[in-house]
Short mmCIF file of all heavy atoms in Angstrom, two decimals:
data_model
loop_
_atom_site.label_atom_id
_atom_site.label_comp_id
_atom_site.label_asym_id
_atom_site.label_seq_id
_atom_site.Cartn_x
_atom_site.Cartn_y
_atom_site.Cartn_z
N GLU Z 1 -23.41 25.71 -23.98
CA GLU Z 1 -22.15 25.59 -23.27
C GLU Z 1 -21.45 24.29 -23.72
O GLU Z 1 -22.02 23.21 -23.63
CB GLU Z 1 -22.43 25.56 -21.76
CG GLU Z 1 -21.19 25.48 -20.94
CD GLU Z 1 -21.53 25.57 -19.45
OE1 GLU Z 1 -22.28 26.49 -19.06
OE2 GLU Z 1 -21.05 24.71 -18.73
N ALA Z 2 -20.25 24.41 -24.25
CA ALA Z 2 -19.51 23.26 -24.73
C ALA Z 2 -18.91 22.51 -23.55
O ALA Z 2 -18.35 23.12 -22.64
CB ALA Z 2 -18.42 23.69 -25.69
N GLY Z 3 -19.02 21.19 -23.60
CA GLY Z 3 -18.47 20.38 -22.53
C GLY Z 3 -17.51 19.35 -23.08
O GLY Z 3 -17.25 19.28 -24.28
N GLU Z 4 -16.98 18.56 -22.21
CA GLU Z 4 -16.02 17.53 -22.60
C GLU Z 4 -16.71 16.40 -23.37
O GLU Z 4 -16.10 15.74 -24.19
CB GLU Z 4 -15.35 16.97 -21.35
CG GLU Z 4 -14.30 15.93 -21.62
CD GLU Z 4 -13.64 15.43 -20.36
OE1 GLU Z 4 -13.77 16.06 -19.30
OE2 GLU Z 4 -13.00 14.38 -20.44
N PHE Z 5 -17.99 16.19 -23.12
CA PHE Z 5 -18.72 15.07 -23.70
C PHE Z 5 -19.77 15.58 -24.68
O PHE Z 5 -20.36 16.63 -24.50
CB PHE Z 5 -19.37 14.24 -22.60
CG PHE Z 5 -18.38 13.74 -21.59
CD1 PHE Z 5 -18.27 14.35 -20.36
CD2 PHE Z 5 -17.56 12.67 -21.88
CE1 PHE Z 5 -17.35 13.92 -19.43
CE2 PHE Z 5 -16.63 12.22 -20.96
CZ PHE Z 5 -16.52 12.84 -19.73
N GLY Z 6 -20.01 14.76 -25.72
CA GLY Z 6 -20.99 15.13 -26.71
C GLY Z 6 -22.41 14.86 -26.28
O GLY Z 6 -23.35 15.43 -26.84
N SER Z 7 -22.57 13.97 -25.30
CA SER Z 7 -23.93 13.63 -24.86
C SER Z 7 -23.87 13.12 -23.42
O SER Z 7 -22.81 12.82 -22.89
CB SER Z 7 -24.53 12.56 -25.77
OG SER Z 7 -23.83 11.33 -25.59
N GLU Z 8 -25.05 13.01 -22.84
CA GLU Z 8 -25.14 12.45 -21.49
C GLU Z 8 -24.66 11.00 -21.49
O GLU Z 8 -24.03 10.55 -20.54
CB GLU Z 8 -26.59 12.51 -20.99
CG GLU Z 8 -27.06 13.89 -20.62
CD GLU Z 8 -28.49 13.89 -20.11
OE1 GLU Z 8 -28.98 12.82 -19.70
OE2 GLU Z 8 -29.10 14.97 -20.12
N SER Z 9 -24.95 10.30 -22.56
CA SER Z 9 -24.55 8.90 -22.67
C SER Z 9 -23.02 8.77 -22.60
O SER Z 9 -22.49 7.89 -21.92
CB SER Z 9 -25.07 8.30 -23.97
OG SER Z 9 -24.63 6.97 -24.10
N GLU Z 10 -22.31 9.64 -23.31
CA GLU Z 10 -20.85 9.60 -23.28
C GLU Z 10 -20.33 9.90 -21.87
O GLU Z 10 -19.37 9.27 -21.40
CB GLU Z 10 -20.27 10.61 -24.26
CG GLU Z 10 -20.40 10.21 -25.71
CD GLU Z 10 -19.81 11.26 -26.64
OE1 GLU Z 10 -19.05 12.14 -26.18
OE2 GLU Z 10 -20.13 11.20 -27.84
N ALA Z 11 -20.95 10.86 -21.21
CA ALA Z 11 -20.55 11.21 -19.85
C ALA Z 11 -20.76 10.04 -18.90
O ALA Z 11 -19.90 9.72 -18.08
CB ALA Z 11 -21.32 12.44 -19.37
N LEU Z 12 -21.90 9.37 -19.04
CA LEU Z 12 -22.19 8.21 -18.19
C LEU Z 12 -21.23 7.06 -18.47
O LEU Z 12 -20.75 6.40 -17.55
CB LEU Z 12 -23.63 7.76 -18.37
CG LEU Z 12 -24.68 8.70 -17.77
CD1 LEU Z 12 -26.09 8.25 -18.18
CD2 LEU Z 12 -24.56 8.74 -16.26
N GLN Z 13 -20.93 6.83 -19.75
CA GLN Z 13 -20.00 5.76 -20.11
C GLN Z 13 -18.62 6.04 -19.51
O GLN Z 13 -17.96 5.13 -18.99
CB GLN Z 13 -19.90 5.62 -21.63
CG GLN Z 13 -21.13 5.01 -22.25
CD GLN Z 13 -21.08 5.04 -23.78
OE1 GLN Z 13 -20.19 5.62 -24.38
NE2 GLN Z 13 -22.08 4.41 -24.39
N ASP Z 14 -18.18 7.30 -19.59
CA ASP Z 14 -16.90 7.66 -19.01
C ASP Z 14 -16.90 7.46 -17.50
O ASP Z 14 -15.94 6.95 -16.92
CB ASP Z 14 -16.56 9.10 -19.35
CG ASP Z 14 -15.15 9.46 -18.94
OD1 ASP Z 14 -14.20 8.87 -19.50
OD2 ASP Z 14 -15.01 10.32 -18.05
N ALA Z 15 -17.98 7.84 -16.86
CA ALA Z 15 -18.10 7.67 -15.41
C ALA Z 15 -18.06 6.20 -15.02
O ALA Z 15 -17.41 5.81 -14.05
CB ALA Z 15 -19.37 8.33 -14.89
N VAL Z 16 -18.74 5.36 -15.79
CA VAL Z 16 -18.75 3.92 -15.51
C VAL Z 16 -17.35 3.34 -15.69
O VAL Z 16 -16.88 2.54 -14.87
CB VAL Z 16 -19.78 3.18 -16.39
CG1 VAL Z 16 -19.59 1.68 -16.32
CG2 VAL Z 16 -21.20 3.56 -15.96
N ARG Z 17 -16.64 3.76 -16.75
CA ARG Z 17 -15.27 3.27 -16.97
C ARG Z 17 -14.35 3.68 -15.81
O ARG Z 17 -13.55 2.88 -15.34
CB ARG Z 17 -14.72 3.78 -18.30
CG ARG Z 17 -15.26 3.01 -19.50
CD ARG Z 17 -14.50 3.38 -20.76
NE ARG Z 17 -14.71 4.77 -21.16
CZ ARG Z 17 -15.69 5.19 -21.93
NH1 ARG Z 17 -16.57 4.34 -22.41
NH2 ARG Z 17 -15.79 6.47 -22.24
N ALA Z 18 -14.50 4.91 -15.36
CA ALA Z 18 -13.68 5.38 -14.23
C ALA Z 18 -13.99 4.58 -12.97
O ALA Z 18 -13.08 4.17 -12.23
CB ALA Z 18 -13.92 6.87 -13.98
N TRP Z 19 -15.25 4.32 -12.73
CA TRP Z 19 -15.66 3.53 -11.57
C TRP Z 19 -15.10 2.11 -11.66
O TRP Z 19 -14.61 1.55 -10.68
CB TRP Z 19 -17.19 3.52 -11.49
CG TRP Z 19 -17.74 2.65 -10.41
CD1 TRP Z 19 -17.72 2.89 -9.07
CD2 TRP Z 19 -18.38 1.39 -10.58
NE1 TRP Z 19 -18.33 1.86 -8.40
CE2 TRP Z 19 -18.75 0.93 -9.31
CE3 TRP Z 19 -18.70 0.62 -11.69
CZ2 TRP Z 19 -19.39 -0.29 -9.12
CZ3 TRP Z 19 -19.35 -0.59 -11.50
CH2 TRP Z 19 -19.69 -1.03 -10.22
N GLN Z 20 -15.15 1.52 -12.87
CA GLN Z 20 -14.63 0.17 -13.06
C GLN Z 20 -13.12 0.13 -12.83
O GLN Z 20 -12.60 -0.81 -12.22
CB GLN Z 20 -14.97 -0.35 -14.46
CG GLN Z 20 -16.44 -0.68 -14.63
CD GLN Z 20 -16.80 -1.01 -16.06
OE1 GLN Z 20 -16.19 -0.51 -17.02
NE2 GLN Z 20 -17.81 -1.85 -16.22
N ARG Z 21 -12.39 1.16 -13.31
CA ARG Z 21 -10.94 1.21 -13.07
C ARG Z 21 -10.65 1.29 -11.58
O ARG Z 21 -9.75 0.62 -11.07
CB ARG Z 21 -10.32 2.42 -13.79
CG ARG Z 21 -10.15 2.24 -15.27
CD ARG Z 21 -9.30 3.35 -15.88
NE ARG Z 21 -9.84 4.68 -15.65
CZ ARG Z 21 -10.71 5.29 -16.45
NH1 ARG Z 21 -11.16 4.68 -17.53
NH2 ARG Z 21 -11.13 6.51 -16.17
N GLU Z 22 -11.42 2.10 -10.88
CA GLU Z 22 -11.23 2.24 -9.43
C GLU Z 22 -11.51 0.92 -8.71
O GLU Z 22 -10.74 0.51 -7.83
CB GLU Z 22 -12.15 3.33 -8.89
CG GLU Z 22 -11.92 3.64 -7.44
CD GLU Z 22 -12.78 4.80 -6.96
OE1 GLU Z 22 -12.93 5.78 -7.70
OE2 GLU Z 22 -13.30 4.69 -5.84
N ARG Z 23 -12.57 0.26 -9.10
CA ARG Z 23 -12.89 -1.05 -8.49
C ARG Z 23 -11.79 -2.06 -8.75
O ARG Z 23 -11.41 -2.84 -7.88
CB ARG Z 23 -14.23 -1.59 -9.02
CG ARG Z 23 -15.45 -0.79 -8.70
CD ARG Z 23 -16.21 -1.27 -7.49
NE ARG Z 23 -16.24 -2.69 -7.31
CZ ARG Z 23 -17.31 -3.46 -7.31
NH1 ARG Z 23 -18.48 -2.94 -7.49
NH2 ARG Z 23 -17.23 -4.75 -7.10
N HIS Z 24 -11.26 -2.06 -9.98
CA HIS Z 24 -10.19 -2.99 -10.34
C HIS Z 24 -8.93 -2.70 -9.51
O HIS Z 24 -8.29 -3.63 -8.99
CB HIS Z 24 -9.88 -2.88 -11.84
CG HIS Z 24 -8.81 -3.79 -12.31
ND1 HIS Z 24 -8.99 -5.15 -12.43
CD2 HIS Z 24 -7.53 -3.56 -12.67
CE1 HIS Z 24 -7.88 -5.70 -12.85
NE2 HIS Z 24 -6.97 -4.75 -13.00
N ALA Z 25 -8.59 -1.42 -9.36
CA ALA Z 25 -7.42 -1.05 -8.56
C ALA Z 25 -7.61 -1.46 -7.10
O ALA Z 25 -6.67 -1.97 -6.47
CB ALA Z 25 -7.18 0.46 -8.67
N GLU Z 26 -8.80 -1.27 -6.57
CA GLU Z 26 -9.07 -1.67 -5.19
C GLU Z 26 -8.97 -3.18 -5.02
O GLU Z 26 -8.44 -3.66 -4.02
CB GLU Z 26 -10.45 -1.19 -4.75
CG GLU Z 26 -10.54 0.31 -4.56
CD GLU Z 26 -11.96 0.81 -4.31
OE1 GLU Z 26 -12.92 0.00 -4.40
OE2 GLU Z 26 -12.11 2.00 -4.04
N ALA Z 27 -9.44 -3.93 -6.02
CA ALA Z 27 -9.35 -5.39 -5.95
C ALA Z 27 -7.89 -5.83 -5.99
O ALA Z 27 -7.49 -6.75 -5.25
CB ALA Z 27 -10.12 -6.01 -7.11
N GLU Z 28 -7.07 -5.17 -6.80
CA GLU Z 28 -5.64 -5.50 -6.84
C GLU Z 28 -4.97 -5.20 -5.51
O GLU Z 28 -4.14 -5.97 -5.04
CB GLU Z 28 -4.95 -4.74 -7.97
CG GLU Z 28 -5.29 -5.27 -9.35
CD GLU Z 28 -4.60 -4.49 -10.45
OE1 GLU Z 28 -4.18 -3.33 -10.22
OE2 GLU Z 28 -4.48 -5.05 -11.55
N GLN Z 29 -5.32 -4.07 -4.90
CA GLN Z 29 -4.76 -3.72 -3.60
C GLN Z 29 -5.15 -4.75 -2.55
O GLN Z 29 -4.33 -5.16 -1.72
CB GLN Z 29 -5.22 -2.34 -3.16
CG GLN Z 29 -4.61 -1.20 -3.95
CD GLN Z 29 -5.20 0.14 -3.57
OE1 GLN Z 29 -6.34 0.24 -3.13
NE2 GLN Z 29 -4.43 1.19 -3.76
N LEU Z 30 -6.39 -5.18 -2.57
CA LEU Z 30 -6.86 -6.17 -1.61
C LEU Z 30 -6.11 -7.49 -1.80
O LEU Z 30 -5.70 -8.12 -0.83
CB LEU Z 30 -8.37 -6.39 -1.76
CG LEU Z 30 -9.00 -7.37 -0.79
CD1 LEU Z 30 -8.75 -6.97 0.66
CD2 LEU Z 30 -10.49 -7.49 -1.06
N GLU Z 31 -5.88 -7.89 -3.04
CA GLU Z 31 -5.13 -9.13 -3.30
C GLU Z 31 -3.70 -9.01 -2.80
O GLU Z 31 -3.15 -9.97 -2.25
CB GLU Z 31 -5.17 -9.48 -4.79
CG GLU Z 31 -6.51 -9.98 -5.26
CD GLU Z 31 -7.03 -11.17 -4.46
OE1 GLU Z 31 -6.24 -12.12 -4.21
OE2 GLU Z 31 -8.19 -11.15 -4.05
N ALA Z 32 -3.09 -7.84 -2.96
CA ALA Z 32 -1.73 -7.63 -2.46
C ALA Z 32 -1.69 -7.73 -0.94
O ALA Z 32 -0.77 -8.32 -0.37
CB ALA Z 32 -1.20 -6.28 -2.93
N ILE Z 33 -2.68 -7.16 -0.29
CA ILE Z 33 -2.76 -7.25 1.18
C ILE Z 33 -2.94 -8.69 1.62
O ILE Z 33 -2.28 -9.17 2.55
CB ILE Z 33 -3.89 -6.35 1.72
CG1 ILE Z 33 -3.54 -4.88 1.51
CG2 ILE Z 33 -4.18 -6.65 3.18
CD1 ILE Z 33 -4.70 -3.93 1.75
N LYS Z 34 -3.83 -9.41 0.95
CA LYS Z 34 -4.04 -10.83 1.29
C LYS Z 34 -2.76 -11.63 1.10
O LYS Z 34 -2.43 -12.51 1.91
CB LYS Z 34 -5.16 -11.41 0.43
CG LYS Z 34 -6.53 -10.93 0.80
CD LYS Z 34 -7.58 -11.55 -0.13
CE LYS Z 34 -8.98 -11.12 0.23
NZ LYS Z 34 -9.99 -11.71 -0.68
N ALA Z 35 -2.01 -11.34 0.04
CA ALA Z 35 -0.76 -12.06 -0.21
C ALA Z 35 0.25 -11.78 0.91
O ALA Z 35 0.95 -12.69 1.36
CB ALA Z 35 -0.19 -11.67 -1.57
N LYS Z 36 0.32 -10.53 1.37
CA LYS Z 36 1.22 -10.20 2.47
C LYS Z 36 0.82 -10.93 3.74
O LYS Z 36 1.68 -11.43 4.48
CB LYS Z 36 1.23 -8.69 2.72
CG LYS Z 36 1.99 -7.90 1.69
CD LYS Z 36 1.98 -6.42 2.04
CE LYS Z 36 2.74 -5.61 1.02
NZ LYS Z 36 2.80 -4.19 1.36
N ILE Z 37 -0.45 -10.99 4.00
CA ILE Z 37 -0.94 -11.71 5.18
C ILE Z 37 -0.58 -13.18 5.08
O ILE Z 37 -0.08 -13.78 6.05
CB ILE Z 37 -2.46 -11.51 5.37
CG1 ILE Z 37 -2.75 -10.06 5.74
CG2 ILE Z 37 -3.02 -12.48 6.41
CD1 ILE Z 37 -4.21 -9.69 5.70
N ASP Z 38 -0.81 -13.78 3.92
CA ASP Z 38 -0.47 -15.19 3.73
C ASP Z 38 1.02 -15.44 3.93
O ASP Z 38 1.41 -16.41 4.58
CB ASP Z 38 -0.89 -15.67 2.33
CG ASP Z 38 -2.39 -15.85 2.20
OD1 ASP Z 38 -3.08 -15.94 3.23
OD2 ASP Z 38 -2.87 -15.90 1.05
N ARG Z 39 1.86 -14.54 3.38
CA ARG Z 39 3.31 -14.71 3.56
C ARG Z 39 3.67 -14.61 5.03
O ARG Z 39 4.52 -15.37 5.52
CB ARG Z 39 4.07 -13.66 2.75
CG ARG Z 39 4.13 -13.96 1.27
CD ARG Z 39 5.16 -13.10 0.54
NE ARG Z 39 4.95 -11.67 0.73
CZ ARG Z 39 4.17 -10.91 -0.03
NH1 ARG Z 39 3.50 -11.45 -1.03
NH2 ARG Z 39 4.07 -9.62 0.21
N SER Z 40 3.03 -13.71 5.73
CA SER Z 40 3.31 -13.54 7.15
C SER Z 40 2.89 -14.78 7.94
O SER Z 40 3.64 -15.27 8.79
CB SER Z 40 2.58 -12.31 7.68
OG SER Z 40 2.80 -12.15 9.05
N ILE Z 41 1.71 -15.27 7.66
CA ILE Z 41 1.21 -16.46 8.37
C ILE Z 41 2.09 -17.67 8.10
O ILE Z 41 2.36 -18.46 8.99
CB ILE Z 41 -0.26 -16.73 7.97
CG1 ILE Z 41 -1.17 -15.66 8.57
CG2 ILE Z 41 -0.69 -18.13 8.42
CD1 ILE Z 41 -2.60 -15.70 8.07
N ASN Z 42 2.57 -17.79 6.88
CA ASN Z 42 3.35 -18.96 6.48
C ASN Z 42 4.85 -18.77 6.65
O ASN Z 42 5.63 -19.63 6.26
CB ASN Z 42 3.03 -19.32 5.03
CG ASN Z 42 1.59 -19.75 4.87
OD1 ASN Z 42 1.06 -20.51 5.68
ND2 ASN Z 42 0.93 -19.24 3.85
N ASP Z 43 5.27 -17.67 7.26
CA ASP Z 43 6.69 -17.40 7.48
C ASP Z 43 7.25 -18.44 8.45
O ASP Z 43 6.75 -18.57 9.57
CB ASP Z 43 6.85 -15.99 8.04
CG ASP Z 43 8.29 -15.54 8.10
OD1 ASP Z 43 9.20 -16.40 8.10
OD2 ASP Z 43 8.51 -14.32 8.14
N PRO Z 44 8.28 -19.17 8.04
CA PRO Z 44 8.81 -20.23 8.91
C PRO Z 44 9.67 -19.71 10.06
O PRO Z 44 9.98 -20.46 10.98
CB PRO Z 44 9.66 -21.07 7.95
CG PRO Z 44 10.11 -20.10 6.91
CD PRO Z 44 8.96 -19.13 6.75
N ARG Z 45 10.02 -18.44 10.01
CA ARG Z 45 10.85 -17.91 11.10
C ARG Z 45 10.05 -17.90 12.40
O ARG Z 45 8.83 -17.74 12.38
CB ARG Z 45 11.32 -16.50 10.77
CG ARG Z 45 12.25 -16.45 9.56
CD ARG Z 45 12.62 -15.03 9.21
NE ARG Z 45 11.42 -14.33 8.74
CZ ARG Z 45 11.40 -13.09 8.32
NH1 ARG Z 45 12.50 -12.38 8.31
NH2 ARG Z 45 10.28 -12.52 7.91
N PRO Z 46 10.75 -18.05 13.52
CA PRO Z 46 10.04 -18.05 14.80
C PRO Z 46 9.45 -16.68 15.09
O PRO Z 46 9.99 -15.65 14.67
CB PRO Z 46 11.12 -18.41 15.82
CG PRO Z 46 12.41 -18.10 15.16
CD PRO Z 46 12.19 -18.25 13.68
N SER Z 47 8.35 -16.67 15.78
CA SER Z 47 7.70 -15.41 16.17
C SER Z 47 8.55 -14.71 17.21
O SER Z 47 9.26 -15.33 18.00
CB SER Z 47 6.32 -15.68 16.75
OG SER Z 47 5.49 -16.27 15.77
N LEU Z 48 8.47 -13.39 17.21
CA LEU Z 48 9.18 -12.60 18.21
C LEU Z 48 8.24 -12.27 19.35
O LEU Z 48 7.04 -12.10 19.16
CB LEU Z 48 9.67 -11.28 17.59
CG LEU Z 48 10.62 -11.36 16.42
CD1 LEU Z 48 10.92 -9.95 15.90
CD2 LEU Z 48 11.92 -12.05 16.81
N THR Z 49 8.83 -12.15 20.54
CA THR Z 49 8.03 -11.64 21.65
C THR Z 49 7.86 -10.14 21.42
O THR Z 49 8.56 -9.53 20.61
CB THR Z 49 8.76 -11.87 23.00
OG1 THR Z 49 9.95 -11.08 23.01
CG2 THR Z 49 9.09 -13.34 23.22
N SER Z 50 6.96 -9.52 22.15
CA SER Z 50 6.77 -8.07 21.98
C SER Z 50 8.04 -7.31 22.35
O SER Z 50 8.38 -6.31 21.72
CB SER Z 50 5.57 -7.58 22.79
OG SER Z 50 5.77 -7.81 24.16
N ALA Z 51 8.77 -7.79 23.34
CA ALA Z 51 10.02 -7.13 23.74
C ALA Z 51 11.06 -7.24 22.63
O ALA Z 51 11.78 -6.28 22.34
CB ALA Z 51 10.55 -7.74 25.04
N GLU Z 52 11.14 -8.41 22.01
CA GLU Z 52 12.09 -8.59 20.90
C GLU Z 52 11.72 -7.72 19.71
O GLU Z 52 12.59 -7.10 19.07
CB GLU Z 52 12.14 -10.06 20.47
CG GLU Z 52 12.76 -10.98 21.49
CD GLU Z 52 12.55 -12.45 21.17
OE1 GLU Z 52 11.50 -12.81 20.58
OE2 GLU Z 52 13.45 -13.25 21.50
N ALA Z 53 10.44 -7.65 19.42
CA ALA Z 53 9.98 -6.82 18.30
C ALA Z 53 10.27 -5.35 18.59
O ALA Z 53 10.75 -4.62 17.71
CB ALA Z 53 8.49 -7.04 18.06
N ARG Z 54 9.99 -4.91 19.80
CA ARG Z 54 10.24 -3.52 20.18
C ARG Z 54 11.73 -3.20 20.07
O ARG Z 54 12.12 -2.14 19.56
CB ARG Z 54 9.73 -3.27 21.60
CG ARG Z 54 9.69 -1.82 21.99
CD ARG Z 54 9.02 -1.58 23.35
NE ARG Z 54 7.60 -1.95 23.30
CZ ARG Z 54 7.07 -2.98 23.95
NH1 ARG Z 54 7.82 -3.76 24.70
NH2 ARG Z 54 5.78 -3.25 23.86
N ALA Z 55 12.58 -4.12 20.53
CA ALA Z 55 14.03 -3.91 20.46
C ALA Z 55 14.49 -3.82 19.00
O ALA Z 55 15.32 -2.98 18.65
CB ALA Z 55 14.77 -5.04 21.19
N ALA Z 56 13.96 -4.67 18.15
CA ALA Z 56 14.32 -4.65 16.72
C ALA Z 56 13.88 -3.34 16.07
O ALA Z 56 14.63 -2.74 15.29
CB ALA Z 56 13.71 -5.85 16.00
N ILE Z 57 12.69 -2.89 16.39
CA ILE Z 57 12.18 -1.63 15.84
C ILE Z 57 13.03 -0.46 16.32
O ILE Z 57 13.42 0.40 15.53
CB ILE Z 57 10.70 -1.43 16.20
CG1 ILE Z 57 9.85 -2.46 15.47
CG2 ILE Z 57 10.24 -0.01 15.89
CD1 ILE Z 57 8.41 -2.55 15.97
N ASN Z 58 13.34 -0.43 17.62
CA ASN Z 58 14.16 0.65 18.16
C ASN Z 58 15.55 0.66 17.54
O ASN Z 58 16.10 1.73 17.24
CB ASN Z 58 14.24 0.56 19.68
CG ASN Z 58 12.93 0.92 20.35
OD1 ASN Z 58 12.12 1.66 19.80
ND2 ASN Z 58 12.71 0.38 21.54
N SER Z 59 16.11 -0.51 17.31
CA SER Z 59 17.42 -0.61 16.68
C SER Z 59 17.35 -0.08 15.25
O SER Z 59 18.23 0.68 14.81
CB SER Z 59 17.88 -2.07 16.68
OG SER Z 59 19.09 -2.20 15.98
N PHE Z 60 16.31 -0.44 14.53
CA PHE Z 60 16.13 0.04 13.17
C PHE Z 60 16.02 1.56 13.15
O PHE Z 60 16.65 2.24 12.33
CB PHE Z 60 14.88 -0.59 12.54
CG PHE Z 60 14.54 -0.05 11.19
CD1 PHE Z 60 15.23 -0.48 10.07
CD2 PHE Z 60 13.55 0.90 11.05
CE1 PHE Z 60 14.94 0.03 8.82
CE2 PHE Z 60 13.23 1.41 9.80
CZ PHE Z 60 13.93 0.98 8.68
N ILE Z 61 15.24 2.12 14.06
CA ILE Z 61 15.05 3.57 14.12
C ILE Z 61 16.38 4.26 14.41
O ILE Z 61 16.73 5.26 13.77
CB ILE Z 61 13.98 3.94 15.16
CG1 ILE Z 61 12.60 3.48 14.67
CG2 ILE Z 61 13.99 5.44 15.45
CD1 ILE Z 61 11.50 3.58 15.72
N ARG Z 62 17.15 3.73 15.37
CA ARG Z 62 18.45 4.32 15.70
C ARG Z 62 19.37 4.30 14.47
O ARG Z 62 20.04 5.29 14.17
CB ARG Z 62 19.11 3.57 16.85
CG ARG Z 62 18.72 4.06 18.22
CD ARG Z 62 19.64 3.51 19.31
NE ARG Z 62 19.77 2.05 19.27
CZ ARG Z 62 18.88 1.19 19.78
NH1 ARG Z 62 17.78 1.65 20.35
NH2 ARG Z 62 19.07 -0.10 19.71
N GLU Z 63 19.41 3.18 13.77
CA GLU Z 63 20.26 3.07 12.58
C GLU Z 63 19.85 4.07 11.50
O GLU Z 63 20.70 4.70 10.86
CB GLU Z 63 20.21 1.65 12.02
CG GLU Z 63 20.90 0.63 12.91
CD GLU Z 63 20.66 -0.80 12.45
OE1 GLU Z 63 20.06 -1.01 11.37
OE2 GLU Z 63 21.07 -1.72 13.17
N GLU Z 64 18.53 4.23 11.31
CA GLU Z 64 18.04 5.19 10.32
C GLU Z 64 18.39 6.62 10.73
O GLU Z 64 18.78 7.43 9.88
CB GLU Z 64 16.53 5.05 10.13
CG GLU Z 64 16.12 3.76 9.44
CD GLU Z 64 16.63 3.67 8.02
OE1 GLU Z 64 16.43 4.62 7.25
OE2 GLU Z 64 17.25 2.65 7.69
N GLU Z 65 18.26 6.93 12.00
CA GLU Z 65 18.60 8.27 12.48
C GLU Z 65 20.09 8.55 12.31
O GLU Z 65 20.48 9.64 11.89
CB GLU Z 65 18.19 8.43 13.94
CG GLU Z 65 16.69 8.53 14.14
CD GLU Z 65 16.27 8.51 15.60
OE1 GLU Z 65 17.08 8.11 16.47
OE2 GLU Z 65 15.11 8.89 15.87
N GLU Z 66 20.93 7.55 12.62
CA GLU Z 66 22.37 7.72 12.46
C GLU Z 66 22.74 7.91 10.99
O GLU Z 66 23.56 8.76 10.65
CB GLU Z 66 23.11 6.53 13.05
CG GLU Z 66 23.06 6.47 14.56
CD GLU Z 66 23.61 5.18 15.14
OE1 GLU Z 66 24.14 4.34 14.37
OE2 GLU Z 66 23.49 4.99 16.36
N ALA Z 67 22.13 7.14 10.12
CA ALA Z 67 22.38 7.27 8.69
C ALA Z 67 21.95 8.64 8.19
O ALA Z 67 22.64 9.26 7.37
CB ALA Z 67 21.66 6.16 7.91
N SER Z 68 20.85 9.13 8.69
CA SER Z 68 20.34 10.45 8.30
C SER Z 68 21.30 11.54 8.76
O SER Z 68 21.58 12.49 8.03
CB SER Z 68 18.96 10.67 8.89
OG SER Z 68 18.49 11.95 8.56
N LEU Z 69 21.83 11.40 9.98
CA LEU Z 69 22.80 12.38 10.49
C LEU Z 69 24.08 12.35 9.67
O LEU Z 69 24.67 13.39 9.38
CB LEU Z 69 23.10 12.11 11.96
CG LEU Z 69 22.00 12.44 12.95
CD1 LEU Z 69 22.40 11.99 14.36
CD2 LEU Z 69 21.72 13.93 12.95
N ASP Z 70 24.53 11.15 9.29
CA ASP Z 70 25.72 11.02 8.47
C ASP Z 70 25.56 11.70 7.13
O ASP Z 70 26.51 12.29 6.60
CB ASP Z 70 26.10 9.55 8.27
CG ASP Z 70 26.61 8.89 9.55
OD1 ASP Z 70 27.00 9.63 10.48
OD2 ASP Z 70 26.61 7.65 9.62
N GLU Z 71 24.37 11.66 6.57
CA GLU Z 71 24.12 12.29 5.27
C GLU Z 71 24.17 13.81 5.36
O GLU Z 71 24.51 14.47 4.38
CB GLU Z 71 22.75 11.87 4.74
CG GLU Z 71 22.68 10.43 4.29
CD GLU Z 71 21.28 10.02 3.85
OE1 GLU Z 71 20.37 10.86 3.85
OE2 GLU Z 71 21.13 8.84 3.51
N THR Z 72 23.84 14.36 6.51
CA THR Z 72 23.82 15.82 6.66
C THR Z 72 25.20 16.38 7.00
O THR Z 72 25.38 17.58 6.98
CB THR Z 72 22.81 16.26 7.73
OG1 THR Z 72 23.17 15.68 8.99
CG2 THR Z 72 21.40 15.85 7.35
N ARG Z 73 26.13 15.53 7.29
CA ARG Z 73 27.48 15.99 7.66
C ARG Z 73 28.33 16.20 6.44
O ARG Z 73 28.32 15.73 5.45
CB ARG Z 73 28.16 14.99 8.58
CG ARG Z 73 27.47 14.95 9.92
CD ARG Z 73 28.14 14.00 10.84
NE ARG Z 73 27.37 13.95 12.08
CZ ARG Z 73 27.43 12.97 12.92
NH1 ARG Z 73 28.22 11.95 12.73
NH2 ARG Z 73 26.71 12.99 14.02
#
């Protein structure tokens, strides 16, 4: 039965390379998350209360809904 690989060794090498690519991608994602956390922690803007945050989120949602309705008209 013909396969994609000429030998078990080639198949294992390919599997290791795929695993290494996945590990590298996960490490990059983790670094991006850490950078976002650092930016958030070091943000000089004042913190919002939960009520202020909720109001800002609700306002954003309303604006997005209105924009979506405008696009369908």
Side-chain angles (χ1 to χ4, degrees):
E1 182 176 311
E4 182 179 346
F5 303 102
S7 68
E8 287 181 19
S9 177
E10 287 179 16
L12 288 172
Q13 288 173 353
D14 188 65
V16 168
R17 282 190 294 272
W19 176 73
Q20 288 172 330
R21 283 191 302 272
E22 186 176 319
R23 296 264 324 242
H24 180 73
E26 289 172 354
E28 287 180 339
Q29 289 174 333
L30 182 57
E31 288 305 314
I33 292 168
K34 287 179 179 180
K36 285 182 180 183
I37 292 170
D38 286 342
R39 283 193 305 272
S40 178
I41 289 171
N42 296 317
D43 189 338
R45 295 176 293 182
S47 297
L48 299 177
T49 65
S50 62
E52 291 169 328
R54 192 173 295 112
I57 292 168
N58 289 334
S59 175
F60 174 79
I61 291 170
R62 273 193 308 279
E63 290 171 7
E64 290 296 309
E65 288 172 343
E66 289 171 6
S68 178
L69 288 175
D70 290 342
E71 289 176 2
T72 60
R73 292 181 184 159

